[in-house]
């Protein structure tokens, strides 16, 4: 059975003081959601600080990226070994901002993915289409290309306990969001693609939605059968918003298990 998951992606935001204030407001509420898993991905400089605050709670630590290299002369890079030593459990791989702003390709994303798995960490593979690609009817083709690039390389065994995050690029940080029906259609297609490799893989892989998730749309998104949680950007910096998003996933999970959905 898939355990639903919410991941907070703080992006390049935060300070020691602001992080402490945010966590002080968040942790008493989000650490009591037994039906779901929650993770926080702060910027690299704050991984140790946030990791210390998460000790003794069920909330997990994640990183926003990882180097292609394991060690050596790679100034400015952070390796998977370092992330593991800092206590990370999750690593975002192939976020749309990394692809569009920093030139990450399907090939480099696949390499990062493999490094994360080899280190014993859980990769969160981010895939999604641009507005132009959606308008040209290429959503399914883009999703298939990005996903199969990884699966064809690492195989079912190498995919392991990976998480997938569908993030329509046109809905990230724009205030726009895919409708629950649009999101569900893409998530269902992703699960169908996974089933081509293995029905077991399709049945166990969490697929998160990551396009401007907010308190006011989370409930309807999370009630869809193939949406297993969210990758939350801006709203994760607002304690009330993020708590409401986690609550919405907890309630949707309870409803699905009780047959009340």
């Amino acid at each position: 059975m898939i355990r639903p998951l919410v991941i907070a992606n703080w992006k390049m935001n935060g300070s020691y003081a602001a992080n402490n204030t945010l966590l002080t407001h968040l942790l008493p509420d989000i650490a009591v959601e037994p039906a779901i898993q929650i993770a926080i991905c702060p910027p690299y400089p704050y991984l140790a600080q946030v990791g210390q605050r998460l000790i003794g709670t069920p909330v997990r630590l994640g990183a926003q990226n990882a180097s292609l290299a394991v060690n050596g002369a790679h100034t400015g890079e952070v390796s998977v070994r370092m992330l593991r030593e800092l206590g990370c459990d999750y690593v975002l791989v192939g976020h749309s901002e990394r692809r569009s702003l920093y030139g990450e390709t399907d090939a480099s994303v696949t390499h990062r993915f493999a490094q994360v798995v080899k280190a014993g960490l859980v990769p969160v593979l981010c895939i999604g289409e641009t507005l132009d690609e959606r308008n040209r009817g290429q959503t399914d083709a883009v999703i298939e290309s990005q996903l199969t690039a990884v699966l064809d390389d690492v195989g079912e065994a190498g995919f392991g306990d990976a998480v997938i995050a569908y993030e329509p690029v046109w809905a990230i940080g724009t205030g726009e969001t895919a409708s629950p029906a649009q999101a569900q259609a893409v998530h269902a297609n992703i699960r169908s693609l996974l089933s081509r490799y293995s029905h077991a893989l399709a049945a166990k892989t969490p697929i998160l939605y990551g396009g401007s998730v907010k308190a006011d749309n989370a409930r309807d998104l999370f009630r869809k059968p193939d949406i297993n949680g969210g990758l939350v950007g801006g709203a994760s910096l607002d304690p009330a918003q993020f708590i409401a998003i986690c609550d919405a996933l907890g309630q949707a999970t309870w409803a699905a298990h009780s047959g009340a959905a």
Side-chain angles (χ1 to χ4, degrees):
M1 182 173 67
I2 295 172
R3 187 179 186 190
L5 169 66
V6 176
I7 300 176
N9 177 16
W10 288 1
K11 304 192 179 186
M12 198 175 71
N13 295 291
S15 68
Y16 278 102
N19 299 345
N20 274 325
T21 299
L22 178 55
L23 292 169
T24 296
H25 285 92
L26 283 179
L27 290 178
D29 288 292
I30 65 172
V32 292
E33 288 282 0
I36 69 174
Q37 181 68 68
I38 299 168
I40 296 175
C41 296
Y44 286 143
Y46 304 125
L47 283 170
Q49 177 201 18
V50 174
Q52 284 293 313
R53 290 294 305 270
L54 298 185
I55 291 174
T57 80
V59 181
R60 301 300 183 187
L61 183 66
Q64 296 176 15
N65 199 25
S67 177
L68 288 169
V70 175
N71 54 31
H74 300 280
T75 301
E77 292 291 283
V78 177
S79 76
V80 288
R81 291 178 180 175
M82 296 172 183
L83 297 178
R84 183 173 181 176
E85 190 171 26
L86 281 165
C88 290
D89 290 299
Y90 294 95
V91 182
L92 304 185
V93 180
H95 191 282
S96 64
E97 291 163 0
R98 299 298 312 177
R99 293 179 190 258
S100 64
L101 298 178
Y102 301 100
E104 292 190 10
T105 64
D106 285 347
S108 67
V109 167
T110 296
H111 190 175
R112 290 177 205 277
F113 185 101
Q115 292 278 37
V116 171
V117 172
K118 188 175 180 179
L121 303 175
V122 177
V124 180
L125 176 63
C126 302
I127 57 178
E129 82 283 11
T130 64
L131 181 59
D132 183 57
E133 288 165 340
R134 172 168 279 271
N135 287 340
R136 286 189 278 127
Q138 296 178 333
T139 295
D140 289 350
V142 170
I143 294 298
E144 182 172 1
S145 174
Q146 292 175 341
L147 179 57
T148 57
V150 176
L151 274 167
D152 286 347
D153 184 81
V154 304
E156 180 185 353
F159 209 75
D161 295 320
V163 175
I164 295 172
Y166 166 58
E167 40 165 27
V169 179
W170 49 272
I172 298 173
T174 64
E176 298 293 329
T177 186
S179 70
Q182 287 175 317
Q184 166 58 25
V186 178
H187 280 235
N189 181 51
I190 292 169
R191 206 169 299 284
S192 176
L193 291 169
L194 290 173
S195 70
R196 294 183 190 176
Y197 291 82
S198 161
H199 291 296
L201 189 63
K204 76 173 185 176
T205 302
I207 307 174
L208 315 183
Y209 175 73
S212 293
V213 180
K214 301 184 182 66
D216 60 4
N217 63 27
R219 181 174 179 272
D220 289 336
L221 286 165
F222 295 155
R223 292 182 69 181
K224 295 300 182 182
D226 290 300
I227 300 179
N228 308 122
L231 176 59
V232 185
S236 68
L237 300 169
D238 179 329
Q241 283 267 338
F242 192 64
I243 290 166
I245 290 167
C246 293
D247 286 346
L249 183 58
Q251 292 166 11
T253 301
W254 177 87
H257 289 171
S258 67

